[in-house]
Amino acid sequence: MAALAVLGLAMASGVLAFATGSEAAVRVVVAVHGIAGLCLVLLTPWKAVIVRRGLAKAGRGLGGRGASVALGALVLLVVGTGIAHAVGATGPYLGVTTMQVHVGAAIVVGVLVLLHAWGRHQRPRHSDLGRRGLLRAGALAGGGALLWSATEVAAGAVSLPGADRRATGSHERGTDDPVRMPVTQWLSDSVPAVDAARFRLEVIAGRTVALGVSDLDGSDSVRAVLDCTGGWYAEQDWRGVRLDHLLAETVGVPEHGRSIDVVSLTGYRRRLPLTEASSLLLATSVAARPLSRGHGAPVRLVAPGRRGFWWVKWVARIEVVDAPWWLQPPFPGQ
Ligand SMILES: Nc1nc2c(c(=O)[nH]1)N[C@H]1C(S)=C(S)[C@@H](COP(=O)(O)O)O[C@H]1N2
Ligand SMILES: [Mo]
């Protein structure tokens, strides 16, 4: 039961770490995530005894012994890649990053745990919830926190590459040097071929205005950090046109509508609150150079304070809509 609870906490804080924008909040969430992961390490010897006992008996529950062993191995892989990423071993190795393995294996663990728990119907016993249970949980959390602080201090002392991470846990890659900044897709998107002569950006708020590439260059700029959930960040000077300015100059200041849909040529999309329009930028240039195709040319969204998956590339449509921004899947689907 303890292991399940810690696993649940690790998973929930992992998802939250990707969804949280505020720097102060994400610092807490990422710390909880790290501590929960290290608590799983502390539970490993105890869990190993149970698995060994389970192996001695015949397989019980759904999947039985095979599932137990696979689950244990996968959890170790998730925790191992988490630690590896934290101390700077970010990859990619053989084409996959440490974070991709971490998240991929964690999703499989989540599915296996659900099946496993289902098969066993194990209810919490009274001792789990009593005073002794609380004391044990406290000792475990304390142990995890101690281990976590120790790794943070150690990383700082020997100046491992992991020591200068952002609050999100991301490592610096290519600040002020977009050529060195990774080109990243969320899941399955790929860099589209864009015919600059025929490209149109549609701006829609009641009426529709279509802009060509030459209409997009603007003189608004912002210095902002692109922080990918893949585990890297870069701070750049972005230049283009602010969304509130773009709306005012094309379709006019919106009289109603709560959100802005930002849709890529590829179909990738995010919905943001209209109240944020003045801090959002449609960028055509980064570090005083035109955007590269991989980084979103001819035009991409810059969403300061939001994780990378909000920064829609190859934007083809901006639409003011009445639906609230949170009425969308929490993460992109492609
Ligand atoms: N159209 C589209 N835009 C996208 C993505 C994508 O897959 N498709 N990935 C997002 C993610 S997850 C990140 S971190 C940034 C990466 O931007 P970069 O490739 O310029 O570094 O783009 C975002 N914009
Ligand atoms: Mo990302």
Short mmCIF file of all heavy atoms in Angstrom, two decimals, residues 181-187 189 226 228 232 264 266 268 294-295 300 308-309 311-314 334, ligand 1:
data_model
loop_
_atom_site.label_atom_id
_atom_site.label_comp_id
_atom_site.label_asym_id
_atom_site.label_seq_id
_atom_site.Cartn_x
_atom_site.Cartn_y
_atom_site.Cartn_z
N MET A 181 19.95 25.52 -30.00
CA MET A 181 18.71 25.16 -29.31
C MET A 181 18.06 23.96 -30.00
O MET A 181 17.94 23.96 -31.23
CB MET A 181 17.76 26.36 -29.31
CG MET A 181 16.46 26.12 -28.59
SD MET A 181 15.50 27.65 -28.40
CE MET A 181 14.79 27.82 -30.03
N PRO A 182 17.65 22.93 -29.24
CA PRO A 182 17.08 21.74 -29.89
C PRO A 182 15.81 22.09 -30.67
O PRO A 182 15.08 23.00 -30.29
CB PRO A 182 16.71 20.84 -28.70
CG PRO A 182 17.53 21.32 -27.56
CD PRO A 182 17.73 22.79 -27.78
N VAL A 183 15.58 21.36 -31.77
CA VAL A 183 14.28 21.41 -32.47
C VAL A 183 13.47 20.25 -31.91
O VAL A 183 13.91 19.11 -31.96
CB VAL A 183 14.45 21.26 -33.99
CG1 VAL A 183 13.11 21.00 -34.66
CG2 VAL A 183 15.10 22.51 -34.57
N THR A 184 12.32 20.58 -31.31
CA THR A 184 11.57 19.56 -30.58
C THR A 184 10.11 19.52 -31.00
O THR A 184 9.49 20.58 -31.13
CB THR A 184 11.62 19.85 -29.06
OG1 THR A 184 12.97 20.03 -28.68
CG2 THR A 184 11.02 18.72 -28.26
N GLN A 185 9.58 18.33 -31.18
CA GLN A 185 8.14 18.18 -31.37
C GLN A 185 7.54 17.51 -30.13
O GLN A 185 8.22 16.71 -29.48
CB GLN A 185 7.84 17.33 -32.61
CG GLN A 185 7.62 18.15 -33.88
CD GLN A 185 8.73 19.12 -34.20
OE1 GLN A 185 8.69 20.27 -33.78
NE2 GLN A 185 9.74 18.66 -34.91
N TRP A 186 6.28 17.83 -29.83
CA TRP A 186 5.65 17.27 -28.63
C TRP A 186 5.59 15.76 -28.73
O TRP A 186 6.05 15.05 -27.85
CB TRP A 186 4.26 17.90 -28.46
CG TRP A 186 3.44 17.24 -27.42
CD1 TRP A 186 2.39 16.39 -27.61
CD2 TRP A 186 3.61 17.34 -25.98
NE1 TRP A 186 1.91 15.97 -26.40
CE2 TRP A 186 2.63 16.53 -25.40
CE3 TRP A 186 4.51 18.03 -25.16
CZ2 TRP A 186 2.50 16.40 -24.01
CZ3 TRP A 186 4.39 17.90 -23.78
CH2 TRP A 186 3.39 17.09 -23.22
N LEU A 187 4.98 15.24 -29.83
CA LEU A 187 4.77 13.80 -29.89
C LEU A 187 5.09 13.28 -31.29
O LEU A 187 6.07 12.60 -31.50
CB LEU A 187 3.30 13.50 -29.54
CG LEU A 187 2.97 12.16 -28.94
CD1 LEU A 187 3.77 11.95 -27.65
CD2 LEU A 187 1.47 12.08 -28.62
N ASP A 189 4.38 15.25 -34.37
CA ASP A 189 4.37 16.26 -35.42
C ASP A 189 5.70 16.23 -36.17
O ASP A 189 6.69 15.72 -35.65
CB ASP A 189 4.18 17.65 -34.80
CG ASP A 189 3.18 18.49 -35.61
OD1 ASP A 189 2.80 18.04 -36.70
OD2 ASP A 189 2.81 19.58 -35.14
N LEU A 226 12.06 29.51 -23.37
CA LEU A 226 11.37 28.34 -23.90
C LEU A 226 11.83 27.15 -23.06
O LEU A 226 13.01 26.81 -23.06
CB LEU A 226 11.74 28.16 -25.38
CG LEU A 226 11.28 26.87 -26.10
CD1 LEU A 226 9.80 26.62 -25.93
CD2 LEU A 226 11.62 26.96 -27.58
N CYS A 228 11.14 23.32 -22.46
CA CYS A 228 10.49 22.10 -22.97
C CYS A 228 10.35 21.06 -21.86
O CYS A 228 11.27 20.88 -21.06
CB CYS A 228 11.34 21.53 -24.10
SG CYS A 228 10.76 19.95 -24.72
N TRP A 232 14.87 20.58 -21.31
CA TRP A 232 15.86 21.62 -21.60
C TRP A 232 15.17 22.97 -21.66
O TRP A 232 13.95 23.05 -21.83
CB TRP A 232 16.58 21.35 -22.92
CG TRP A 232 15.68 21.29 -24.12
CD1 TRP A 232 15.10 20.17 -24.65
CD2 TRP A 232 15.20 22.39 -24.91
NE1 TRP A 232 14.30 20.51 -25.72
CE2 TRP A 232 14.34 21.85 -25.91
CE3 TRP A 232 15.40 23.78 -24.88
CZ2 TRP A 232 13.69 22.65 -26.86
CZ3 TRP A 232 14.76 24.57 -25.83
CH2 TRP A 232 13.92 24.00 -26.80
N SER A 264 -1.73 25.33 -35.67
CA SER A 264 -0.60 25.17 -36.58
C SER A 264 -1.06 24.67 -37.94
O SER A 264 -2.12 24.05 -38.08
CB SER A 264 0.39 24.17 -35.98
OG SER A 264 1.38 23.83 -36.91
N THR A 266 0.03 22.22 -39.15
CA THR A 266 0.02 20.76 -39.01
C THR A 266 -1.20 20.25 -38.26
O THR A 266 -1.38 19.04 -38.13
CB THR A 266 1.25 20.30 -38.21
OG1 THR A 266 1.16 20.86 -36.89
CG2 THR A 266 2.55 20.76 -38.86
N TYR A 268 -1.66 20.85 -35.02
CA TYR A 268 -1.31 21.00 -33.60
C TYR A 268 -1.92 22.30 -33.09
O TYR A 268 -1.88 23.32 -33.78
CB TYR A 268 0.21 21.06 -33.50
CG TYR A 268 0.81 21.13 -32.12
CD1 TYR A 268 1.32 19.98 -31.52
CD2 TYR A 268 0.91 22.33 -31.43
CE1 TYR A 268 1.91 20.04 -30.26
CE2 TYR A 268 1.49 22.40 -30.17
CZ TYR A 268 2.00 21.24 -29.60
OH TYR A 268 2.58 21.31 -28.36
N GLY A 294 12.69 24.58 -38.58
CA GLY A 294 12.49 23.69 -37.44
C GLY A 294 11.93 24.41 -36.23
O GLY A 294 11.16 23.86 -35.46
N HIS A 295 12.33 25.67 -36.06
CA HIS A 295 11.87 26.44 -34.90
C HIS A 295 10.56 27.17 -35.17
O HIS A 295 10.12 27.97 -34.35
CB HIS A 295 12.96 27.40 -34.43
CG HIS A 295 14.10 26.71 -33.73
ND1 HIS A 295 15.42 27.03 -33.94
CD2 HIS A 295 14.11 25.69 -32.85
CE1 HIS A 295 16.19 26.23 -33.20
NE2 HIS A 295 15.42 25.41 -32.53
N ARG A 300 5.75 31.62 -35.24
CA ARG A 300 5.44 30.75 -34.12
C ARG A 300 4.97 31.58 -32.92
O ARG A 300 5.24 32.77 -32.83
CB ARG A 300 6.66 29.95 -33.70
CG ARG A 300 7.67 30.80 -32.98
CD ARG A 300 8.52 30.15 -31.89
NE ARG A 300 8.08 28.95 -31.27
CZ ARG A 300 8.89 27.92 -31.04
NH1 ARG A 300 10.15 27.97 -31.40
NH2 ARG A 300 8.45 26.86 -30.41
N GLY A 308 6.98 24.67 -23.02
CA GLY A 308 7.20 24.67 -24.47
C GLY A 308 6.03 24.20 -25.31
O GLY A 308 5.83 24.68 -26.42
N PHE A 309 5.22 23.25 -24.77
CA PHE A 309 4.16 22.69 -25.63
C PHE A 309 3.08 23.71 -25.96
O PHE A 309 2.23 23.45 -26.81
CB PHE A 309 3.59 21.40 -25.02
CG PHE A 309 2.85 21.56 -23.73
CD1 PHE A 309 1.52 21.91 -23.71
CD2 PHE A 309 3.49 21.32 -22.51
CE1 PHE A 309 0.82 22.04 -22.51
CE2 PHE A 309 2.81 21.45 -21.31
CZ PHE A 309 1.48 21.81 -21.31
N TRP A 311 3.92 26.72 -27.12
CA TRP A 311 4.56 27.62 -28.08
C TRP A 311 4.36 27.11 -29.51
O TRP A 311 5.33 26.77 -30.20
CB TRP A 311 6.05 27.77 -27.79
CG TRP A 311 6.40 28.39 -26.47
CD1 TRP A 311 5.87 28.14 -25.24
CD2 TRP A 311 7.42 29.38 -26.25
NE1 TRP A 311 6.48 28.89 -24.27
CE2 TRP A 311 7.44 29.66 -24.86
CE3 TRP A 311 8.32 30.04 -27.08
CZ2 TRP A 311 8.31 30.58 -24.30
CZ3 TRP A 311 9.20 30.96 -26.52
CH2 TRP A 311 9.18 31.23 -25.15
N VAL A 312 3.11 27.10 -29.97
CA VAL A 312 2.73 26.52 -31.27
C VAL A 312 3.61 27.05 -32.42
O VAL A 312 3.79 28.26 -32.56
CB VAL A 312 1.25 26.83 -31.57
CG1 VAL A 312 0.84 26.23 -32.91
CG2 VAL A 312 0.36 26.33 -30.44
N LYS A 313 4.16 26.12 -33.19
CA LYS A 313 5.01 26.50 -34.34
C LYS A 313 4.19 26.45 -35.63
O LYS A 313 3.15 25.82 -35.69
CB LYS A 313 6.20 25.53 -34.44
CG LYS A 313 7.09 25.57 -33.20
CD LYS A 313 8.40 24.86 -33.40
CE LYS A 313 8.26 23.36 -33.23
NZ LYS A 313 9.59 22.70 -33.19
N TRP A 314 4.67 27.13 -36.66
CA TRP A 314 4.03 27.16 -37.98
C TRP A 314 2.56 27.57 -37.85
O TRP A 314 1.65 26.90 -38.37
CB TRP A 314 4.16 25.80 -38.69
CG TRP A 314 5.52 25.21 -38.51
CD1 TRP A 314 6.68 25.70 -39.01
CD2 TRP A 314 5.87 24.03 -37.76
NE1 TRP A 314 7.74 24.91 -38.62
CE2 TRP A 314 7.27 23.88 -37.85
CE3 TRP A 314 5.14 23.10 -37.02
CZ2 TRP A 314 7.94 22.82 -37.24
CZ3 TRP A 314 5.81 22.06 -36.41
CH2 TRP A 314 7.19 21.92 -36.52
N GLN A 334 -0.85 15.51 -30.51
CA GLN A 334 -0.01 15.05 -31.63
C GLN A 334 1.43 15.54 -31.48
O GLN A 334 1.69 16.38 -30.64
CB GLN A 334 -0.57 15.50 -32.96
CG GLN A 334 -0.44 17.00 -33.24
CD GLN A 334 -1.10 17.39 -34.55
OE1 GLN A 334 -2.31 17.45 -34.66
NE2 GLN A 334 -0.27 17.67 -35.54
N1 LIG B 1 3.10 22.63 -34.44
C1 LIG B 1 3.79 22.26 -33.35
N2 LIG B 1 4.25 23.20 -32.51
C2 LIG B 1 4.97 22.85 -31.42
C3 LIG B 1 5.25 21.47 -31.14
C4 LIG B 1 4.76 20.50 -32.05
O1 LIG B 1 4.95 19.29 -31.89
N3 LIG B 1 4.03 20.94 -33.15
N4 LIG B 1 5.97 21.14 -30.03
C5 LIG B 1 6.00 22.10 -28.92
C6 LIG B 1 7.00 21.78 -27.94
S1 LIG B 1 6.69 20.43 -26.96
C7 LIG B 1 8.11 22.56 -27.72
S2 LIG B 1 9.14 22.30 -26.42
C8 LIG B 1 8.45 23.65 -28.63
C9 LIG B 1 9.86 23.44 -29.15
O2 LIG B 1 10.25 24.50 -29.96
P1 LIG B 1 11.59 24.43 -30.81
O3 LIG B 1 11.50 23.19 -31.68
O4 LIG B 1 11.66 25.70 -31.55
O5 LIG B 1 12.72 24.29 -29.83
O6 LIG B 1 7.55 23.74 -29.73
C10 LIG B 1 6.19 23.53 -29.40
N5 LIG B 1 5.42 23.82 -30.57
#
